[in-house]
Amino acid sequence: MQVIICDSREQVGVRAADIVEARVRKGPAVLGLATGSSPAGTYRELIRRHREEQLSFREVTAFTLDEYAGLPREHEQSYYSTIRREFVDEVDLPLDRLLTPHGDAEDLRAEALRYDAAIREAGRVDVQILGIGANGHIGFNEPTSSLSSRTRVKTLAGITRSDNARFFPGGEVPQLCLTQGLGTIRDAGQAVLVALGANKAAAVRAMVEGPVSAFCPASVLQLHQHAVVVLDPEAAAELQLADYYRRAQGLNDRLLGR
Ligand code: F6R
């Protein structure tokens, strides 16, 4: 696992965008897109590069990580609407190549199987962008999720529902969701996890320096060959080996001529 500790939130967005851009510039690519506040700076930076540096997403297919059960796509807080608003509608990614689980499907279990199969049929996700929940979830794989799980219906943890209540003023956060599984996420060629702020520091420590455990689902990334974790100083505050990660990153940047 590569750990990059940045000096600011803006730099986190730039670093994560660098990884996405490197893959997109190579030709047709499959991207995995997280929603939520963590990757917002990454998407803003990618939109800027699209507008100012001719970074094109015309040959990209994108799969989102998860969706609330019961919300139609048109709902303002569906992850389909959110990812369109925050990224897809601002670049030239063809809308018919934005794929998301349908949260309002009549048969949610069948929808989960369909979505997992669609990802496999696309080859694989080349770069998966991730955030982390304060409880260590990635996607909506809450603690005790199987490390080999595939896309399926999950019950949202209490802390996830209260963290996301800010997006549902006057309404209830759904109880259920569809989420790519930890096994599905592990199939991606590269994983880039972005974490910001002090409320993520404990989860980040458990993910990077704790044991691989279903109790911290993000720790499954320790088993991934190409996982990069990009942090602001607050999210990195509890890391025991922070000095080592900074030194290793400095040497790596020098090798790459940054
Ligand atoms: C969203 C997702 C979640 C979030 C996580 C952090 O698609 O998969 O795992 O990344 O809940 O959310 P934020 O970034 O809003 O703190």
Side-chain angles (χ1 to χ4, degrees):
M1 188 183 279
Q2 187 187 352
V3 180
I4 302 178
I5 304 174
C6 298
D7 295 333
S8 66
R9 288 185 169 219
E10 291 67 36
Q11 209 191 336
V12 170
V14 169
R15 281 291 189 150
D18 285 348
I19 295 168
V20 176
E21 173 170 3
R23 180 59 193 84
V24 169
R25 293 249 186 229
K26 277 191 192 153
V30 181
L31 297 182
L33 303 178
T35 34
S37 50
S38 311
T42 307
Y43 296 141
R44 274 197 301 276
E45 178 61 15
L46 289 170
I47 293 166
R48 188 195 67 73
R49 293 179 193 192
H50 168 67
R51 290 185 184 148
E52 297 173 15
E53 297 169 9
Q54 291 80 47
L55 177 62
S56 174
F57 295 86
R58 219 168 297 134
E59 294 191 299
V60 166
T61 300
F63 287 92
T64 56
L65 265 181
D66 40 21
E67 184 57 278
Y68 291 111
L71 295 195
R73 291 181 133 194
E74 309 72 48
H75 191 286
E76 208 194 341
Q77 290 311 326
S78 76
Y79 278 173
Y80 175 78
S81 296
T82 305
I83 201 66
R84 280 191 61 177
R85 207 166 43 237
E86 295 189 352
F87 180 52
V88 174
D89 288 353
E90 301 297 325
V91 295
D92 57 350
L93 198 156
L95 202 48
D96 60 345
R97 287 216 242 115
L98 168 64
L99 302 160
T100 65
H102 290 246
D104 58 352
E106 216 165 280
D107 184 342
L108 287 173
R109 288 199 180 132
E111 174 61 7
L113 293 175
R114 182 201 65 78
Y115 193 66
D116 209 80
I119 297 173
R120 281 196 305 270
E121 275 158 31
R124 69 166 182 186
V125 170
D126 295 305
V127 180
Q128 174 65 60
I129 301 170
L130 297 164
I132 184 170
N135 63 358
H137 74 212
I138 52 175
F140 276 142
N141 294 281
E142 304 288 23
T144 71
S145 288
S146 158
L147 300 179
S148 319
S149 49
R150 310 300 307 182
T151 306
R152 68 209 184 291
V153 182
K154 279 294 285 183
T155 302
L156 292 171
I159 184 179
T160 304
R161 294 185 70 232
S162 51
D163 281 348
N164 290 359
R166 65 191 193 279
F167 299 118
F168 292 85
E172 279 247 317
V173 181
Q175 301 262 8
L176 297 174
C177 65
L178 286 163
T179 181
Q180 286 189 33
L182 295 172
T184 319
I185 293 169
R186 265 181 71 185
D187 288 345
Q190 189 170 14
V192 184
L193 185 144
V194 172
L196 306 170
N199 70 324
K200 300 293 173 69
V204 165
R205 179 168 183 191
M207 163 180 67
V208 177
E209 296 178 342
V212 175
S213 158
F215 208 65
C216 176
S219 67
V220 77
L221 295 180
Q222 292 180 29
L223 301 173
H224 198 287
Q225 228 186 334
H226 297 290
V228 185
V229 175
V230 192
L231 307 170
D232 71 358
E234 291 76 22
E238 291 188 25
L239 289 174
Q240 217 176 312
L241 300 184
D243 289 346
Y244 169 72
Y245 307 135
R246 286 198 170 94
R247 191 161 55 83
Q249 192 53 41
L251 290 170
N252 206 27
D253 284 351
R254 227 179 299 159
L255 273 178
L256 296 172
R258 276 178 193 267

